[in-house]
Amino acid sequence: MSSLLPYAIIIGIVVIFFGVCYVVFSGNSGKKEMGNGEVLNRNDNQFRRIKQNGITVTDQRVKPSVAHERHEPSQNTAWGTTQGETVRRVRQTGGTAVHNKRHAVRDLEATYVLPKEDVEFLAAQEKKEQERSREENLSTSRREKEDLGAVVAADLAEKQAVRAARAKTAVQHVLAANEKQREIEKTQIINRQDMRRVLQDGRHSETAASRHTENTPGDQVHPQATVADMRGQQPSPVFTAAEISPVIQQCVDDFLQHFGKATAKRKALVTEITVAAFTYVGCRSDRERQELIEPLLAHEALHNMQKAYVAHPQEEVKEIALMAFKDAVRKTAATTRHFIAVEALKVLPYLSLPHYKILAILFTFLYSRNTRNVDKESFCSYLDSHVLPFQAGLPMEKAYYQQLGYYQCTVTENKETRFAEILRGSYPLLFEYRGMTPLELQDILQGQSIPAEYVVTSFNSDLIKLALIDESMAKAFFNRIHIQDRRMQQRLLQAVKSRPVDFSGEAALNIMENISPVLADLSDLWDSSQLRVSTLSLLGLYLAHGYIHSVTGEEVDLSRWFE
């Protein structure tokens, strides 16, 4: 009996083991109540049904697995889509719902087989939500852009208004000064003529009478006028028969017949420019006038001059046309100035004031510089008198630059030239270096003094500089301040150039703004227009010089380009 005891123990252990296993595994095969009318049936290994408030969802699974379940209130219920996502905006069914976490299920256990109408409903709701979100984003972005555009537009409008007011004020000052000068010149001329007439009547009456009888009716005398005289006189739209000689009348009639119907205004303009032209070149009698226009090219030049003034009856155009006419008929055909003047008369009828302003700005900064621009005060004065009249109304449209190129007044370059580079090249000692300290200047001079007007404050620092724009003028400058020691001259130039500065970009714009807002505005216009790639031809130089002279009275020597 004792020999069978071990076997009995082993059998008992096996029976207990299987019994425990049966109890453990049989607990998952029944029905589990989940509350609120929900029943989870796991007897079927292929299908499972969840019944909730009368809605039945069939869940087909590939292999058995454990579903993670949690209870939530009815206000937090959601619907599961076929992609495993939860949708909150669905019908509220009340009670609790079973939520399957997509990231916790590693197989297809939680795949729902929903009715077609429920899937379509969920897809439509999701699409509406996406469209509504997209519309909100677009409206928000549109409002931001509109607000930003309004701010930028307001800033530009304010800047343009300030610029226009500044330009108008400066132009008014310039015009007032020019008008005052014209009145002075006009008064002086009239007084001299009156005095001469009195002397002739009182002392030489017999000589004057005999000279009058010797002149034939076709040899009426007209006094010669200078450029200042022509600029100071106002147009005379009406001329009497006694003021117009037969040759002048013939030139007027010839033009009117050639260019169609003659109106009273056109006839007055043609007569005015014709009389002014013969007076300007110094023809005192009809015999001289006839000899002047006898060559075919001279007659053509007269026609082109008349055409230019009739097309643009402005004082600036009148002075340019008279200058070109004089060079065309008085200069020899072998000279460059004669050829350029003939070409200028041909293109004058097709150019307007915006074209001349472009030419004047290019000429001012590319082909000339003012040696008196050594400090802020002198530079501002130069800008107001020589730049602002041309900057006001300067066109930005590309068409004007194309037209100037077509008429061979400008040349388009391949390389751009920024405005800061032009200032740096024209005035290197003013813009490329900061300057020196007063102690350094005293140490170099060693007790010798320099007049105060030859030492100026730097543009780009609180240091000082010599009133010198570049080294090419150093010799004349040192002669004026009586410094002949070559070693001292060299040390002064080294001190001026001892602190170089990067005059470009935003730093250059700040320096120009500090000098004058006009200079900063012109820099913006230059760098954003065709000015940065344009240069002048000989014809452009000639027309620009004539226009600048008609506006400011400044005389520029063109011999370095024409001879």
Side-chain angles (χ1 to χ4, degrees), residues 411-539:
V411 179
T412 302
E413 304 292 341
N414 295 327
K415 180 184 177 182
E416 296 182 356
T417 304
R418 298 290 175 177
F419 191 72
E421 299 178 26
I422 297 173
L423 292 181
R424 190 169 61 243
S426 300
Y427 307 92
L429 294 183
L430 300 182
F431 291 99
E432 286 191 342
Y433 305 98
R434 296 183 183 276
M436 56 184 171
T437 64
L439 292 178
E440 291 175 341
L441 179 61
Q442 294 176 5
D443 181 64
I444 296 173
L445 293 178
Q446 297 178 355
Q448 188 173 349
S449 62
I450 296 180
E453 61 269 19
Y454 293 102
V455 179
V456 297
T457 304
S458 175
F459 285 152
N460 42 29
S461 67
D462 56 353
L463 303 177
I464 60 175
K465 293 180 179 180
L466 300 178
L468 189 63
I469 63 175
D470 66 3
E471 292 187 59
S472 65
M473 304 176 59
K475 184 177 180 180
F477 176 80
F478 289 129
N479 288 335
R480 287 196 300 270
I481 62 177
H482 306 292
I483 294 181
Q484 305 300 330
D485 187 356
R486 297 299 298 269
R487 185 173 179 272
M488 185 179 293
Q489 295 177 4
Q490 192 67 23
R491 290 187 62 190
L492 285 173
L493 292 177
Q494 290 176 354
V496 170
K497 299 189 297 183
S498 61
R499 296 176 177 87
V501 63
D502 182 19
F503 187 73
S504 62
E506 191 68 24
L509 193 61
N510 292 334
I511 294 174
M512 288 186 280
E513 185 73 30
N514 182 45
I515 297 173
S516 173
V518 175
L519 198 62
D521 292 344
L522 183 59
S523 177
D524 292 336
L525 291 174
W526 186 288
D527 294 342
S528 60
S529 67
Q530 292 295 110
L531 290 170
R532 66 184 187 275
V533 293
S534 299
T535 56
L536 295 179
S537 63
L538 288 179
L539 178 58

Side-chain angles (χ1 to χ4, degrees), residues 70 100 240 254 315 334 521:
R70 60 186 173 88
N100 293 313
T240 62
D254 185 27
E315 287 300 313
D521 292 344

